[in-house]
């Protein structure tokens, strides 16, 4: 079937039915070319918007045990939308760029906020547009490179939460940049502490707690961050009940901007695998923050996060923390994160409000 498709809707294996030009004398891609992720990315880089293709996806006949080398199984899933693939690539590029900047800070250089802004702001803008990708952030991180993934992800989540709360775009982008820089002061912490796989001693933990002071000191002179964002960086480990650090600020002395970065920080940290502990389900983490950490975080901020990454509806296909697949049959008004789920394996309906040892692990498209 011959159709015209937007670049964002293309899939690996689709066949081009026309030569593609991009203000060039010769085609950048010939008719009958089978599209790979790399070729679709080339079309995107050249600004091609729509192409004529054969709707049928070609499946290669490969010997048993052999994989198509055009697809990296660590980066993509079969038939993943191209816009998702490109966004993950942009995310990975940002993580690598952040790591390079972090190493410069560790070596004693002052933060180049312009450079950080160049790779963080376009990324958070894309994530605000593609909110369905927010729930996948915890799957991108690796334990060894956690710190760099965490900073980029906190920037993304901070911007998305503020956008969900109805803040102006400028505020959302500022919070995205502030969230990404909130842990820049970690570059001043001894690397042996940051790489430790066991729980920290009291002395080591007290040293880590200085990072927010280091962070705000590192960025205090930049005109690219508003004063309220610099305060948010300083306060992103403060808690409404006074249990946070570095000053033990309470309630109205803690800004909503600080709370947004704080919630983004805790959520990503708890949903991501670390060197010393496994990750938790995003749905379980939202529940834990609301219940076990009650009184520490702004409820409006938590509700915005819930709507972004934890919203469940009847008919949604999910995976439980025990690996079972199922369909949501009923969502409790007072416990929306613990619905009734019909298992695919045997048709049994499980009420997660009474089966507290289980939780939603992820939504299955």
């Amino acid at each position: 079937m011959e159709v015209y498709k937007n670049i964002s809707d293309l899939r690996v294996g689709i066949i081009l039915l026309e030569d593609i030009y991009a203000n060039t004398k010769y085609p950048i891609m010939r008719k009958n070319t089978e599209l790979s992720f790399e070729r679709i990315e080339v079309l995107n880089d050249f600004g091609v918007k729509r192409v004529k293709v054969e709707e049928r996806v070609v499946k290669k006949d490969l010997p048993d045990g052999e994989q198509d080398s055009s697809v990296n199984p660590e980066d993509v899933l079969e038939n993943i939308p191209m816009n998702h693939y490109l966004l993950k690539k942009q995310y990975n590029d940002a993580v690598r760029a952040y790591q390079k900047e972090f190493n410069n800070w560790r070596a004693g250089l002052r933060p180049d906020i312009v450079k950080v802004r160049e790779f963080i702001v376009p990324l958070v803008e894309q994530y605000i547009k593609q909110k369905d990708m927010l729930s996948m952030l915890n799957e991108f991180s690796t334990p060894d490179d956690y710190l760099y993934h965490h900073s980029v992800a906190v920037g993304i989540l901070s911007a998305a939460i503020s956008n969900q709360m109805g803040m102006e775009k400028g505020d959302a982008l500022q919070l995205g940049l502030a969230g990404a820089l909130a842990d820049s002061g970690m570059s001043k912490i001894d690397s042996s502490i940051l790489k430790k796989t066991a729980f920290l001693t009291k002395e080591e933990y007290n040293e880590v707690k200085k990072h927010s002071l280091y962070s705000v000191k590192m960025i205090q002179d930049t005109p690219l961050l508003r004063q309220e964002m610099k305060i948010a960086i300083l306060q992103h480990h403060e808690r409404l009940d006074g249990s946070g650090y570095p000053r033990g600020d309470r309630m109205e002395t803690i800004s909503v901007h600080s709370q947004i970065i704080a919630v983004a920080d805790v959520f990503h940290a708890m949903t991501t695998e670390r060197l010393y502990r496994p990750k938790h389900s995003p749905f379980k983490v939202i529940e834990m923050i609301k219940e076990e950490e009650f009184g520490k975080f702004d409820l409006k901020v938590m509700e915005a996060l819930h709507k972004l990454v934890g919203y469940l509806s009847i008919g949604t296909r999910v995976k439980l923390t025990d690996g079972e697949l199922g369909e949501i049959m009923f969502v409790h008004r007072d416990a929306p994160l613990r619905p009734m789920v019909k298992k695919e394996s045997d048709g049994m309906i499980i009420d997660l409000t009474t089966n507290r040892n289980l939780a939603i692990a992820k939504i299955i498209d």
Side-chain angles (χ1 to χ4, degrees), residues 82-99:
M82 190 58 201
N83 58 334
H84 284 194
Y85 170 75
L86 291 174
L87 185 52
K88 187 184 176 190
K89 181 180 182 301
Q90 186 180 0
Y91 167 89
N92 285 333
D93 290 344
V95 170
R96 287 191 289 270
Y98 186 91
Q99 182 176 7

Side-chain angles (χ1 to χ4, degrees), residues 4 26 53 81 83 110-111 129 144 155 160 241 254 278 286 292 296 298 312 333 337 347:
Y4 278 93
Y26 301 102
V53 297
N83 58 334
R110 296 182 65 82
K129 293 177 183 177
D144 290 337
D241 63 358
I254 302 173
I286 293 175
E292 298 176 19
K296 296 179 183 292
D298 189 312
L312 298 169
R333 180 179 179 181
L337 293 167

Side-chain angles (χ1 to χ4, degrees), residues 30-48:
R30 295 286 187 182
K31 178 180 178 180
N32 295 324
T33 296
E34 179 184 336
L35 294 179
S36 63
F37 280 114
E38 291 78 9
R39 288 168 179 161
I40 299 173
E41 191 172 336
V42 168
L43 294 175
N44 187 73
D45 289 342
F46 272 93
V48 178

Side-chain angles (χ1 to χ4, degrees), residues 235-252:
Q235 291 187 321
H236 77 281
H237 279 289
E238 299 288 5
R239 301 294 180 256
L240 297 181
D241 63 358
S243 63
Y245 63 85
R247 301 183 303 192
D249 291 342
R250 300 175 60 92
M251 300 303 289
E252 66 277 357

